Amino acid sequence: MHKFISIQAARGIAALMVLAFHAMSVDAKYSSAGLLSSALSFGQTGVDLFFVVSGFVMAVTTRRRSGAHDAGRFLVHRAARIYPTYWVYFFALLAVYAVAPAIVNSSQGGRVDLWHSFLLLPSATLPLLMVAWSLTLELWFYVVFALLVCSPRKILAPALAAWAGAIFLYAMMSSVPESPYARVLVHPFTLEFIAGALVGLFTQARAYSRITQANALAFLLAGLGLLAWGYFGNFVDGSDVIATARLDRVLVVGSGYALTILGLVSLEANGVIAPFALLGRLGNSSYSLYLSHLLTLNLCARIWFSSPAGDRDSLANAALFWVLCFVACLAVGVVGYHLTERPVQRLMARLDSSKRVDNASLRNSRCGAKNAS
């Protein structure tokens, strides 16, 4: 797979958006200066962007895979991508929960299902690490996509379209299920994952560079226009997106991000744009940043506003705090990436390399035996 800087940059932007959204609640809890604008509430759509990017990457990375063996490899790689890094933050928070359970998930009275949180299974309560609710949806996407990988490649797009149609019809005709497992199965955010996957398939069929610059720019502008509509049309509100999501939000915002991604990767493939490399590097650590930022935000706020320097009413004090807090979040995310994600990636790459060598040796030995006979 060609590694588009646009995709990495989109991951970094998505993580920053979610960080900004959660910063609003931390600011309201600890400071009375009112520095952060309510406009940051649109930052919650960073999750929408994550789902679209995830679908795009899944479609592109499985381009040459088919059959049960490749589906199994796909799931192993996805599990290695999700669980080891997640467990680092899970156990860190678990240690806090063991000592002071009242300060963890205080919005739901400290109630949490630790086993479901550990395995990222659907639950009636938020996971111990609250932001991990989206990972439960991601894992469901991966399971379905692995089943699709077992099928002939030519039916992938029709199968994705049928999956999207089923989700859409359910959202139109039925209420939110009571079962946490059923909620995951029919969650409208699935449409964003599918949209990203269809964009990935479309760009492969058009071989990226065959999409004209004019069309790529039109896709980008259409996507940005839909996102502007999503913002000014109040499609993003304070509703509970963990249990479900407004269908109009998913259609407008999800389509906006899908078209934006399509435009960006097409323009990059044509050499029209060269995304800022720093955002690409930030995208590398976006997963660690996503998992760690809420912990970092709350820890920094507790330390800062309980110290003599933490004037809750001072605008200047709040500005200084948020600059330092933002830097701290980025630093923790980058360090987490290099200490947890990167070693796992290298290990999986070595295992893949050794399997390829073993398979090549096996083929050569069979050829040698056949020639000898």
Side-chain angles (χ1 to χ4, degrees), residues 148-173:
L148 295 177
V149 168
C150 293
S151 307
R153 186 72 177 181
K154 63 182 179 181
I155 73 166
L156 181 54
L160 288 171
W163 186 18
I167 296 295
F168 178 82
L169 289 176
Y170 186 91
M172 290 289 292
M173 302 173 61

Side-chain angles (χ1 to χ4, degrees), residues 69-141:
H69 176 71
D70 282 342
R73 285 182 58 205
F74 168 78
L75 286 177
V76 169
H77 276 265
R78 288 296 92 197
R81 177 76 176 91
I82 294 291
Y83 279 111
T85 302
Y86 165 69
W87 281 333
V88 169
Y89 297 104
F90 170 83
F91 282 114
L93 193 56
L94 182 62
V96 177
Y97 182 75
V99 176
I103 68 173
V104 178
N105 281 356
S106 57
S107 61
Q108 55 183 8
R111 295 182 300 113
V112 66
D113 187 321
L114 293 178
W115 181 245
H116 281 69
S117 294
F118 176 73
L119 293 177
L120 291 172
L121 298 175
S123 174
T125 58
L126 283 170
L128 183 66
L129 185 61
M130 292 176 62
V131 297
W133 67 268
S134 63
L135 301 183
T136 301
L137 287 175
E138 281 279 344
L139 291 172
W140 165 239
F141 301 155

Side-chain angles (χ1 to χ4, degrees), residues 7-8 73 212 233 332:
I7 293 297
Q8 291 301 94
R73 285 182 58 205
T212 66
V332 171

Side-chain angles (χ1 to χ4, degrees), residues 18 33 42 52 55 67 77 80 109 156 163 198 214 227-228 254 276 294 314 324 334 370:
V18 177
F42 197 72
V52 170
H77 276 265
L156 181 54
W163 186 18
L198 290 174
L227 293 176
F276 192 31
L294 198 52
S314 170
L324 296 176
V334 171
K370 184 177 181 180

